[in-house]
Amino acid sequence: MYARAAGLEPARLPRHVAVIMDGNGRWALGRGWERFNGHRRGADTVRAITTECAKLGIPRLTLYAFSSENWTRPASEVEFLMDLLADFLRSELPTMLENNIRLESIGRVDELPERVLFELANARSATAANTGTILCLALSYGGRDEIVDACRKLADQAARGALDPTSIDRTTLQSALYAPQAADVDVVIRSAGERRLSNFLPWQAAYAEYVDHPALWPDFTVADFRSCLLEYQGRERRFGAVPTR
Ligand code: FPP
């Protein structure tokens, strides 16, 4: 089996992996190049890690592709990232289809430019029937915004008399998230050696294991990804309970 050959325990693979892809800018600047080049190479890493998840049979991979805070970057960098996203969604479609990958997105996607929305809708509908790994791109995503948006949705239902406020519990709030059906995040992986959650999936990652890796995202390899999964598999997950012996 592929997972075992990759040195991983198939029964203990995470169901939901979330990745904070950090270090594109540093990778480029370290070579005396413009930051754009780091993002371009970062897209190659996205392709490699997504394909690896499909081969391993990991059900869901969420990538922090553009945060709500990233809008504050220089306009030229934002433009470049949007073009890169649109290109990626178009050029990667055959690979997604070949690997049975379904594309999804979370975030305030209506804030994205028309060209990205077009490619996103196209890739989503073209891959909708795929049954393998779900590649979920977090776009214009902020974890606190997601919770605010969920609260607004529920408040609206309550105001219309469709929801009894006293009945609201965790399941109700989960149902109002951007991807309500998604399993909790098992492991958050962050490249470039940083150890911050940066407003990424705070609700979904409440019990996630956190693994950081020193490689800058453009240098992050399939072997690095496997080593992160191996570290995850070595952790004892307790979910607040006492250890079982
Ligand atoms: C962080 O690096 C990365 C981003 C803000 C954007 C992530 C985008 C990509 C990996 C490329 C395209 C993505 C897809 C899905 C095609 P940084 O710029 O913050 O790096 P730094 O911390 O070294 O400056």
Side-chain angles (χ1 to χ4, degrees):
M1 192 184 186
Y2 187 85
R4 207 175 286 287
L8 297 163
E9 175 59 52
R12 300 193 64 216
L13 282 171
R15 285 179 307 156
H16 187 174
V17 177
V19 183
I20 304 176
M21 310 180 287
D22 202 4
N24 291 347
R26 271 164 283 175
W27 183 89
L29 295 177
R31 285 164 174 74
W33 298 343
E34 292 207 72
R35 297 173 54 82
F36 308 117
N37 297 292
H39 295 314
R40 196 179 285 122
R41 283 292 290 267
D44 295 337
T45 307
V46 169
R47 178 183 311 111
I49 300 307
T50 305
T51 306
E52 175 69 0
C53 282
K55 288 184 185 164
L56 286 169
I58 290 175
R60 191 177 192 92
L61 170 68
T62 302
L63 299 178
Y64 211 175
F66 194 85
S67 76
S68 45
E69 287 74 29
N70 287 155
W71 291 113
T72 62
R73 294 191 174 203
S76 56
E77 183 167 341
V78 171
E79 275 293 293
F80 182 88
L81 281 168
M82 292 301 142
D83 285 343
L84 188 63
L85 260 170
D87 286 351
F88 177 89
L89 290 167
R90 193 175 44 250
S91 65
E92 287 312 299
L93 192 50
T95 314
M96 287 190 240
L97 292 169
E98 206 174 291
N99 288 286
N100 197 20
I101 291 166
R102 177 144 57 100
L103 184 84
E104 281 189 7
S105 60
I106 53 171
R108 291 184 175 168
V109 282
D110 49 349
E111 295 174 346
L112 298 167
E114 196 53 49
R115 63 190 188 283
V116 178
L117 286 178
F118 176 84
E119 299 298 346
L120 199 55
N122 187 46
R124 283 186 76 128
S125 69
T127 61
N130 286 352
T131 54
T133 296
I134 294 172
L135 168 61
C136 177
L137 297 182
L139 297 168
S140 196
Y141 177 86
R144 288 181 172 175
D145 287 345
E146 176 172 30
I147 293 168
V148 167
D149 289 349
C151 290
R152 281 191 191 154
K153 219 184 276 179
L154 298 180
D156 181 59
Q157 289 171 19
R160 286 187 283 107
L163 177 69
D164 172 6
T166 63
S167 75
I168 295 175
D169 57 13
R170 292 177 197 168
T171 311
T172 327
L173 202 129
Q174 171 82 28
S175 75
L177 297 176
Y178 297 135
Q181 77 293 350
D184 276 2
V185 172
D186 293 307
V187 57
V188 176
I189 296 171
R190 184 166 187 151
S191 60
E194 305 285 352
R195 294 178 175 167
R196 284 187 299 280
L197 201 51
S198 299
N199 202 18
F200 190 40
L201 304 169
W203 176 277
Q204 300 85 339
Y207 281 97
E209 296 297 323
Y210 187 92
V211 177
D212 64 295
H213 192 282
L216 303 175
W217 182 250
D219 287 333
F220 188 83
T221 62
V222 165
D224 295 334
F225 182 64
R226 289 177 182 173
S227 80
C228 291
L229 295 181
L230 195 61
E231 181 168 341
Y232 161 78
Q233 293 196 324
R235 301 267 179 95
E236 183 187 12
R237 302 187 75 196
R238 295 194 201 161
F239 302 97
V242 289
T244 47
R245 299 239 186 273

